[in-house]
Amino acid sequence: MNPISLIFLAFAMSTDAFAAAIGKGASLHKPRLSEALRTGLIFGVIEAITPLIGWAIGQAAADYVQNWDHWIAFTLLLLLGLHMIYNGFKDDHEEAEKPNQHGFLILAVTAFATSIDALAVGVGLAFVDVNILVAALAIGLATTLMVTLGVMLGRALGTVVGKRAEIIGGVVLMLIGATILYEHLSVQ
């Protein structure tokens, strides 16, 4: 795999995480750059690990992973999106109730849900002449950058649309899940 293709792959793998990060940033009370970097690192590490796992699974389980990855991602993103929408409609004090940061578990689950496709890509990379460590590092770094920017962009959008940004973020997560499901089902 040439370096240009690897860079394109890395940024393509991080687009859904970027969209999710915008929603995460919008649902926080004025997130700082340090929180954006923390979120970016959590997403980046998970996004880097999943192609390594996929690569290790290899050809033996390729059919199983490819047959179920879209359903797993869809279900996780749907549930997370519904949770965000529920929180967006809760009757509470708008700015006072927004957290300063998201818990590690919710970020890790969101990151995993948006990186299920990287697991399948990892399986595919097992059959291509590519250094999987370099590919995983590129995917992780691109995701860290994109998610950090997404959280900060979400901060700006959150001040414009207020509490309803969490509802929008939840809808975006559900749309990402639906898109992943649609893309996989339309290919079959």
Side-chain angles (χ1 to χ4, degrees):
M1 179 174 281
N2 68 48
I4 300 297
S5 296
L6 185 58
I7 291 169
F8 178 75
L9 171 69
F11 279 99
M13 296 307 306
S14 66
T15 56
D16 49 355
F18 173 73
I22 292 172
K24 292 296 182 192
S27 67
L28 292 175
H29 176 72
K30 298 180 183 175
R32 296 184 152 189
L33 181 58
S34 60
E35 176 58 19
L37 285 169
R38 174 182 167 267
T39 303
L41 285 171
I42 291 169
F43 272 73
V45 168
I46 290 172
E47 191 85 25
I49 290 172
T50 52
L52 291 172
I53 293 169
W55 184 82
I57 290 171
Q59 190 174 20
D63 289 337
Y64 179 77
V65 171
Q66 290 174 347
N67 288 334
W68 291 99
D69 67 342
H70 51 284
W71 286 107
I72 295 167
F74 172 72
T75 302
L76 288 172
L77 290 170
L78 176 70
L79 292 174
L80 287 167
L82 288 172
H83 179 71
M84 286 180 72
I85 290 169
Y86 170 77
N87 286 336
F89 280 115
K90 277 182 19 182
D91 187 27
D92 55 12
H93 299 93
E94 191 166 319
E95 282 300 310
E97 296 296 322
K98 277 188 171 182
N100 290 326
Q101 71 177 29
H102 291 291
F104 174 80
L105 183 61
I106 195 74
L107 290 176
V109 169
T110 306
F112 180 72
T114 60
S115 68
I116 292 287
D117 55 344
L119 185 76
V121 166
V123 171
L125 291 177
F127 307 108
V128 178
D129 184 26
V130 64
N131 182 330
I132 190 61
L133 294 176
V134 172
L137 181 63
I139 291 168
L141 288 173
T143 301
T144 300
L145 174 67
M146 295 292 284
V147 168
T148 301
L149 292 172
V151 169
M152 296 311 290
L153 180 59
R155 172 188 172 145
L157 292 175
T159 60
V160 172
V161 296
K163 175 125 174 78
R164 300 305 173 230
E166 194 159 10
I167 296 168
I168 295 167
V171 170
V172 168
L173 284 182
M174 293 188 324
L175 288 173
I176 292 168
T179 301
I180 290 169
L181 183 63
Y182 174 77
E183 287 173 352
H184 282 78
L185 293 179
S186 66
V187 171
Q188 295 178 353

